[in-house]
């Protein structure tokens, strides 16, 4: 006897065996039980979710005679009577399946409708099932409208399509429509585990998770991939083997990429992409895994209680979710999703992947460090066309200590004024930034905070954005201060801030820009160009270097 593939061997034979479509099963079961039967049904949904299966089960329910031959319409077909067995094997003369993808013309439809005038030969009802009905021509649709609206009492229409938008509204209005949903990965995984136990195949949970995600909501695809994985793995399902078969990226690479993005570490991002290139992993698969993990991280950031203790991926996502603010997670997700479209436009998919990931660093919110795009010290002192002096309140120390020498911390701390605290904190933060001692969220915590209290062993910072007050950022800032001469404990509180290093930097930048605009407008050459030739200064085009 030839081997029967899993997708056919485990096709549901009744409503009780169907998984993932409870809303459709319940509606049809109630209709069959009360015998409130419509004359035309339309089942929609993506491939492999059970449209044809539901059609066959419905045909069996309408024509089942029971084991003793005395049964009637039922929601639980017996599966052993002649009608049930013949429908399962495709030999029931009163059940006709028409593939509209290859029989889409008016002639094929008229040939089918000619059979409608004859009563059932073997069963209780004659059932016409038209698969991929959206492929029919307009003429074919028009030919069946009248019969579809008022068929004989013994005739039932069952239509199935993956694209209901292409079905004319005149057809939709004549049908009872059911939408079969894509199945969630957890449902697919549980069904695969049940099938493999029946087949006595050894498997790992990690392998089933990979297969259930790769199926993309289609149970048929999941069973077909499982067949392939069993053959590829020599009768066993091991996670590394299944990952190799699917070309899936190891989640360790994905975790390293997200961690590097969280730290603003461009060098680590580029190194990880190069490692993916060497190992031959797909760039598209990498972005797909990234979007999947970022989506799960976003959910856990909003609803932390949804962590599944039995799923190791959830535990890892929860750890990464604590390292990224919720809005940054949303930004990364959007850019990764858009980046999948751009891969096909680049001559080298790995170069495109690198650019997408570097864009994540370049387009982070302004409170996030752009570590990979920092200017060099030479660039910071580049001479500019416009020279302006910043306000005294934001002037950095005239002499910065060398990077290897910690700054002294002998300033008075008894009853300090708020202005003195702000001046002191601005000098400290400027020093840490010059020495590149703080990066990413740690740097933003320092820039966006205000020093409100200072003692010999404890400094209290106030932050206006609670998303920055994460334990990891606070600990890294505390370690950076200790390494540069301030061995103190940092405490962070939420509340309104008035004077922060970031605001001082912004005020200084605005002052330089105003001075640059005034200097440019006062330039004799610019004035002559505007006067003699009608020249104009484009708003927003002036930048202070």
């Amino acid at each position: 006897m030839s081997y029967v593939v899993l997708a056919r061997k485990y096709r549901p034979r009744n409503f009780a065996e169907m998984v993932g479509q409870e809303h459709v099963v319940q509606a049809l079961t109630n209709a069959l039980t009360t015998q409130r039967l419509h004359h035309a049904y339309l089942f929609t949904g993506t491939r492999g979710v059970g449209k044809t299966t539901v059609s066959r089960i419905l045909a069996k329910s309408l024509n089942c005679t029971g084991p003793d031959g005395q049964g009637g319409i039922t929601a639980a077909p017996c599966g052993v009577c002649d009608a049930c067995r013949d429908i399962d094997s495709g030999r029931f003369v009163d059940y006709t399946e028409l593939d509209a993808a290859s029989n889409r013309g008016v002639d094929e439809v008229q040939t089918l409708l000619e059979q409608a005038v004859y009563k059932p030969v073997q069963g209780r009802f004659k059932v016409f099932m038209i698969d991929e009905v959206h492929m029919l021509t307009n003429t074919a649709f028009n030919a069946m409208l009248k019969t579809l609206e008022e068929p004989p009492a013994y005739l039932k229409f069952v239509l199935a399509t993956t694209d209901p938008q292409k079905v004319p509204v005149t057809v939709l209005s004549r049908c009872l429509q059911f939408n079969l949903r894509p199945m969630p990965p957890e449902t697919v995984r549980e069904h695969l585990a049940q099938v493999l136990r029946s087949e006595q195949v050894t498997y790992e949970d990690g392998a089933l998770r990979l297969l259930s995600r790769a199926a993309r909501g289609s149970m048929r695809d999941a069973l077909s991939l499982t067949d392939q994985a069993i053959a590829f793995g020599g009768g066993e399902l091991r996670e590394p083997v299944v990952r190799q078969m699917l070309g899936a990226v190891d989640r360790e690479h994905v975790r390293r990429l997200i961690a590097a993005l969280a730290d603003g570490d461009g060098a680590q991002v580029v190194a990880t992409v190069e490692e993916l290139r060497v190992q031959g992993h797909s760039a598209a698969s990498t972005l797909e895994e990234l979007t999947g993990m970022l989506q799960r991280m976003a959910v856990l950031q909003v609803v932390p209680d949804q962590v599944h203790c039995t799923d190791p991926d959830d535990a890892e996502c929860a750890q990464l979710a604590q390292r990224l603010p919720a809005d940054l997670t949303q930004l990364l997700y959007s850019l990764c999703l858009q980046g999948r479209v751009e891969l096909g436009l680049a001559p080298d998919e790995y170069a495109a992947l690198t650019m997408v990931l570097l864009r994540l660093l370049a387009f982070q919110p302004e409170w996030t460090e752009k570590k990979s795009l920092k200017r060099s010290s030479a660039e910071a002192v580049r001479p500019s066309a416009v020279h302006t002096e910043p306000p005294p309140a934001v002037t950095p120390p005239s002499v910065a200590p060398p990077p290897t020498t910690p700054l002294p911390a002998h300033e008075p701390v008894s009853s300090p004024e708020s202005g003195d605290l702000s001046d002191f904190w601005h000098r400290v933060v400027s020093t840490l930034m010059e020495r590149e001692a703080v990066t990413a969220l740690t740097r933003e915590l320092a820039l966006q905070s205000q020093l409100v209290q200072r003692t010999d062993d404890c400094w209290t910072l106030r932050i206006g954005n609670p998303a920055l007050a994460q334990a990891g950022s606070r600990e890294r800032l505390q370690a950076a201060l200790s390494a540069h001469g301030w061995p103190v404990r940092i405490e962070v509180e939420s509340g309104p801030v008035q004077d922060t290093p970031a605001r001082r930097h912004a005020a200084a930048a605005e002052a330089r820009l105003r001075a640059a605009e005034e200097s440019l407008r006062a330039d004799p050459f610019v004035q002559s160009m505007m006067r003699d030739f009608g020249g104009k200064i484009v708003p927003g085009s002036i930048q202070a270097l």
Side-chain angles (χ1 to χ4, degrees):
M1 182 177 178
S2 60
Y3 174 72
V4 180
V5 298
L6 297 179
R8 293 181 57 191
K9 183 177 180 179
Y10 291 93
R11 180 193 290 268
R13 298 289 194 266
N14 51 60
F15 289 127
E17 295 179 1
M18 290 200 66
V19 295
Q21 308 297 345
E22 290 77 9
H23 62 295
V24 176
V25 170
Q26 181 178 350
L28 293 178
T29 299
N30 293 339
L32 291 166
T33 301
T34 60
Q35 297 195 13
R36 298 177 62 89
L37 301 173
H38 204 271
H39 61 271
Y41 297 87
L42 174 64
F43 296 114
T44 66
T46 187
R47 75 278 177 273
V49 294
K51 300 184 296 295
T52 303
T53 298
V54 171
S55 172
R56 293 180 181 177
I57 296 175
L58 180 59
K60 290 192 291 184
S61 298
L62 294 172
N63 291 287
C64 179
T65 58
D68 56 359
Q70 303 299 317
I73 297 175
T74 177
C78 66
V80 297
C81 67
D82 292 340
C84 289
R85 287 188 287 106
D86 288 346
I87 291 175
D88 284 335
S89 59
R91 298 192 305 266
F92 194 64
V93 295
D94 293 321
Y95 176 71
T96 304
E97 287 189 3
L98 177 70
D99 180 18
S102 55
N103 300 278
R104 58 193 307 264
V106 63
D107 294 336
E108 290 85 354
V109 172
Q110 286 180 341
T111 301
L112 177 68
L113 296 178
E114 288 173 359
Q115 304 176 26
V117 299
Y118 302 105
K119 290 187 176 181
V121 175
Q122 182 180 355
R124 192 178 296 113
F125 290 92
K126 187 184 289 286
V127 180
F128 290 166
M129 193 276 182
I130 305 179
D131 197 12
E132 299 298 341
V133 68
H134 68 276
M135 300 291 287
L136 292 178
T137 63
N138 291 333
T139 309
F141 275 124
N142 293 333
M144 66 182 293
L145 283 180
K146 186 60 179 177
T147 307
L148 184 63
E149 183 177 9
E150 297 179 357
Y154 53 79
L155 178 61
K156 302 294 182 184
F157 279 94
V158 179
L159 312 179
T161 177
T162 56
D163 194 354
Q165 303 297 327
K166 295 182 180 179
V167 179
V169 293
T170 52
V171 173
L172 296 176
S173 65
R174 290 166 166 81
C175 299
L176 201 62
Q177 184 172 346
F178 294 93
N179 181 30
L180 279 72
R181 303 164 183 163
M183 302 180 195
E186 186 61 27
T187 300
V188 176
R189 188 190 66 80
E190 291 175 357
H191 186 66
L192 290 181
Q194 181 179 350
V195 169
L196 292 174
R197 285 193 294 267
S198 300
E199 293 288 310
Q200 298 182 350
V201 174
T202 304
Y203 64 88
E204 294 179 352
D205 288 337
L208 294 192
R209 283 196 296 271
L210 289 172
L211 292 171
S212 61
R213 286 198 296 262
R216 300 181 184 277
S218 170
M219 188 64 74
R220 183 177 63 219
D221 287 4
L223 291 170
S224 299
L225 287 172
T226 302
D227 252 331
Q228 181 182 353
I230 292 174
F232 190 79
E236 295 181 342
L237 290 183
R238 304 297 180 188
E239 182 176 0
V241 177
V242 173
R243 188 180 297 279
Q244 180 184 0
M245 182 196 79
L246 296 174
V249 177
D250 189 346
R251 285 216 156 185
E252 178 59 30
H253 291 95
V254 177
R255 288 189 292 271
R256 284 161 52 190
L257 284 174
I258 294 179
L261 293 171
D263 295 335
D265 192 346
Q268 180 62 40
V269 169
V270 174
T272 305
V273 173
E274 185 61 27
E275 187 175 341
L276 291 171
R277 180 200 296 269
V278 172
Q279 297 181 5
H281 290 301
S282 167
S285 179
T286 303
L287 285 179
E288 182 178 345
E289 289 288 337
L290 274 170
T291 54
M293 183 168 286
L294 288 168
Q295 184 271 339
R296 188 60 185 157
M297 288 168 55
V299 172
L300 295 179
Q301 287 171 341
V302 177
V303 190
D305 296 338
Q306 281 203 355
V307 177
H308 299 295
C309 298
T310 58
D311 190 345
D313 289 344
D314 261 14
E316 294 163 354
C317 286
Q319 294 177 358
L320 290 173
Q322 296 177 354
R323 301 184 60 178
L324 284 175
D327 47 358
L328 180 56
T329 303
Q330 294 288 342
L331 175 67
L332 300 187
Y333 176 83
S334 299
L335 291 178
C336 283
L337 205 62
Q338 181 63 30
R340 295 176 62 184
V341 181
E342 301 177 3
L343 290 183
L345 304 177
D348 180 1
E349 66 172 4
Y350 295 101
L353 174 62
T354 303
M355 290 302 299
V356 169
L357 297 176
L358 292 181
R359 188 181 307 142
L360 301 181
L361 297 177
F363 284 90
Q364 290 175 359
E366 60 184 26
W367 48 263
T368 306
E369 167 68 1
K370 304 176 182 63
K371 179 177 179 179
S372 60
L373 303 178
K374 286 190 298 186
R375 295 180 178 178
S376 64
S377 57
E379 198 176 3
V381 299
R382 182 178 54 188
S384 59
V386 179
H387 299 276
T388 60
E389 294 297 328
V394 296
T395 304
S398 57
V399 179
T404 57
T405 305
L407 288 181
H410 300 300
E411 300 187 21
V413 298
S414 58
S415 302
E417 297 293 335
S418 59
D420 296 337
L421 284 178
S422 298
D423 293 341
F424 172 74
W425 181 238
H426 179 263
R427 292 196 299 272
V428 170
V429 174
S430 299
T431 301
L432 293 178
M433 290 172 56
E434 289 172 2
R435 300 180 179 182
E436 299 185 355
V438 288
T439 60
L441 297 182
T442 307
R443 177 177 181 267
E444 289 303 317
L445 173 61
L447 283 171
Q448 304 288 350
S449 60
Q450 179 178 353
L451 182 63
V452 295
Q453 186 175 359
R454 175 188 169 210
T455 64
D456 290 334
D457 59 350
C458 180
W459 295 359
T460 301
L461 302 178
R462 181 178 298 160
I463 188 72
N465 184 359
L468 295 176
Q470 300 184 24
S473 301
R474 179 180 57 80
E475 293 172 358
R476 286 191 289 271
L477 178 59
Q478 185 172 289
L481 289 171
S482 178
H484 289 78
W486 293 285
V488 294
R489 186 178 76 258
I490 294 295
E491 294 183 355
V492 180
E493 64 180 33
S494 298
V497 294
Q498 298 177 351
D499 190 354
T500 66
R503 293 189 178 186
R504 294 195 177 197
H505 291 172
E510 185 178 355
R512 287 194 299 270
L513 181 60
R514 286 197 304 267
E517 292 177 349
E518 294 173 359
S519 175
L520 187 63
R521 293 181 185 277
D523 186 91
F525 176 75
V526 174
Q527 290 180 348
S528 64
M529 293 291 292
M530 297 175 64
R531 180 182 62 253
D532 299 337
F533 299 98
K536 295 182 180 179
I537 298 177
V538 179
S541 63
I542 302 176
Q543 295 183 0
L545 301 178

